[in-house]
Amino acid sequence: MTVLLGLVYPLFITGIARLAFPEKASGLLVRNEGKIIGSQWIGQSFTSPVYFTSRPSAVDYQAMPSGGSNQGPTSRTLYETMMKRKDAFIKNNRLPDGQPVPSEMLFASASGLDPHISPESARLQIERVAAERNLSEEQKQQLYDLVKKHTEMPQFGLLGASRVNVLMLNLELDKKVGKVR
């Protein structure tokens, strides 16, 4: 049974997946200039202010020890971390004090690897990205268009929420308005 269920069955299912969905079975790897730079399914850290930032990760975006912080709603540490993230998001994005911040920018995902943010989170970062890249008003409008273009709707129109893949958005950002070194 161990060989059958632990070896044969997983290899069989993997083979079917590779035949039926080769890109997905390989992790939807993203290439840029011929080099693998990530996966559409795994979040990455973007620390430069010229890029849209991802949601926080409790595991620093490491796939092997993926997981959340496991801190509960009564945790003082979780509250303090959330408040620091809120203040940093408002400050870094030059938002007015008291601006509501979407929850995914305050809390790490359960896996620590979520590659998506809400369209609202992306829109709140546009002013910063435009200012850091010295974009004109016309170019700034392109950022709104990019966020709209990269907004994925809920699956089947009702499962989940609208979301934006940060890696894919930042890649197209570099293509549309140019890389900043």
Side-chain angles (χ1 to χ4, degrees), residues 121-138:
S121 293
R123 286 190 294 271
L124 288 172
Q125 297 181 57
I126 287 175
E127 292 295 328
R128 171 188 44 86
V129 172
E132 291 291 333
R133 288 177 174 256
N134 297 315
L135 301 181
S136 67
E137 283 300 315
E138 181 180 317

Side-chain angles (χ1 to χ4, degrees), residues 16-117:
I16 290 173
R18 288 189 182 255
L19 288 173
F21 311 102
E23 281 188 7
K24 289 182 179 181
S26 296
L28 285 176
L29 299 177
V30 178
R31 297 178 190 278
N32 190 22
E33 298 173 1
K35 182 177 161 187
I36 296 174
I37 60 165
S39 167
Q40 288 184 41
W41 287 344
I42 298 179
Q44 295 184 21
S45 176
F46 291 95
T47 57
S48 173
V50 301
Y51 290 108
F52 290 89
T53 57
S54 300
R55 74 181 297 173
S57 172
V59 294
D60 197 29
Y61 306 98
Q62 299 299 312
M64 287 306 291
S66 69
S69 68
N70 294 333
Q71 296 171 342
T74 60
S75 168
R76 183 80 183 151
T77 303
L78 178 63
Y79 176 78
E80 290 169 358
T81 301
M82 186 255 328
M83 292 306 290
K84 285 179 188 173
R85 288 174 179 161
K86 180 180 179 184
D87 293 342
F89 188 85
I90 288 171
K91 180 183 175 197
N92 293 342
N93 290 292
R94 304 169 183 125
L95 301 171
D97 288 338
Q99 167 76 43
V101 176
S103 63
E104 78 272 5
M105 301 312 287
L106 305 176
F107 301 100
S109 68
S111 69
L113 302 174
D114 192 343
H116 298 99
I117 59 175

